[in-house]
Amino acid sequence: MNIGIQIMQSLNKKMTEVQKILDFSFPFVESLLINYGEFYPLASAVNTKGEVEQIVREEDPDNDFPKSNTVIGELKKELRWNREQFLAVAIFYDVTIKEMQTDAIAVYVEDKKEKQAFTFFYAYKMIDNKPEFTESWKQSREVEIFID
């Protein structure tokens, strides 16, 4: 299933690089939820050859279990330092939205060419150890990676 289609249809048709990331990485994130019930933030990017790659952050030998916000901050730093190598980037992370009493996969995305950033939210409930997606929405964000 292509979960990213719902939101991407409402975005600029030129954001095809973001769609590549969603198509490549979302099944992996979904498998982490199935196998572990949660996941640490992770990042993917489309490089200048048009290929999707996983972004690995530097491990901290003094901290085996960093907070998710710390991991997200480190991933953003890594993406910013290497932004000339990428056409689009995404950071996937697990959130709880208290107002809606739901968990969600949040995906922060940026497209270099379009100079746009969004966070996509895919709400889910775990049913029989599998995520059942209930709704999705997006929020516009300030560009943080492809800044001039």
Side-chain angles (χ1 to χ4, degrees), residues 8 10-19 86-89 108-118 120 140-148:
M8 288 302 295
S10 67
L11 289 179
N12 187 330
K13 297 290 185 207
K14 295 179 183 173
M15 290 187 75
T16 57
E17 307 304 338
V18 170
Q19 185 65 56
F86 306 127
L87 301 176
V89 298
Y108 174 81
V109 301
E110 282 191 35
D111 184 279
K112 184 179 198 170
K113 193 172 22 176
E114 299 303 312
K115 297 288 188 204
Q116 292 179 312
F118 298 96
F120 301 151
S140 293
R141 298 286 187 208
E142 292 291 317
V143 173
E144 296 181 50
I145 308 303
F146 297 115
I147 49 178
D148 295 325

Side-chain angles (χ1 to χ4, degrees), residues 63-76:
N63 190 356
D64 288 338
F65 302 103
K67 293 195 177 288
S68 289
N69 285 340
T70 301
V71 175
I72 292 168
E74 291 298 314
L75 289 169
K76 285 182 179 179

Side-chain angles (χ1 to χ4, degrees), residues 1-145:
M1 174 172 82
N2 187 341
I3 191 77
I5 285 178
Q6 299 163 353
I7 291 179
M8 288 302 295
Q9 286 175 341
S10 67
L11 289 179
N12 187 330
K13 297 290 185 207
K14 295 179 183 173
M15 290 187 75
T16 57
E17 307 304 338
V18 170
Q19 185 65 56
K20 281 184 190 177
I21 295 171
L22 292 172
D23 291 345
F24 180 86
S25 299
F26 208 93
F28 176 65
V29 170
E30 194 171 1
S31 73
L32 291 173
L33 284 175
I34 291 167
N35 292 320
Y36 304 104
E38 62 184 357
F39 64 95
Y40 257 116
L42 57 98
S44 300
V46 173
N47 62 29
T48 54
K49 296 177 186 174
E51 303 163 333
V52 179
E53 60 182 73
Q54 297 294 317
I55 306 304
V56 180
R57 71 174 187 83
E58 194 78 21
E59 292 294 323
D60 182 353
D62 298 328
N63 190 356
D64 288 338
F65 302 103
K67 293 195 177 288
S68 289
N69 285 340
T70 301
V71 175
I72 292 168
E74 291 298 314
L75 289 169
K76 285 182 179 179
K77 256 195 269 187
E78 184 71 26
L79 293 168
R80 239 185 325 271
W81 287 335
N82 296 295
R83 68 181 174 256
E84 294 305 316
Q85 298 173 27
F86 306 127
L87 301 176
V89 298
I91 300 173
F92 296 76
Y93 52 101
D94 201 12
V95 296
T96 298
I97 301 172
K98 292 179 183 170
E99 310 84 56
M100 298 175 68
Q101 298 181 344
T102 189
D103 292 318
I105 296 172
V107 187
Y108 174 81
V109 301
E110 282 191 35
D111 184 279
K112 184 179 198 170
K113 193 172 22 176
E114 299 303 312
K115 297 288 188 204
Q116 292 179 312
F118 298 96
T119 299
F120 301 151
F121 294 92
Y122 302 95
Y124 68 89
K125 296 196 182 308
M126 294 299 285
I127 299 172
D128 297 327
N129 293 325
K130 293 174 96 175
E132 294 289 329
F133 294 96
T134 57
E135 62 182 304
S136 59
W137 65 95
K138 72 176 186 289
Q139 294 177 346
S140 293
R141 298 286 187 208
E142 292 291 317
V143 173
E144 296 181 50
I145 308 303

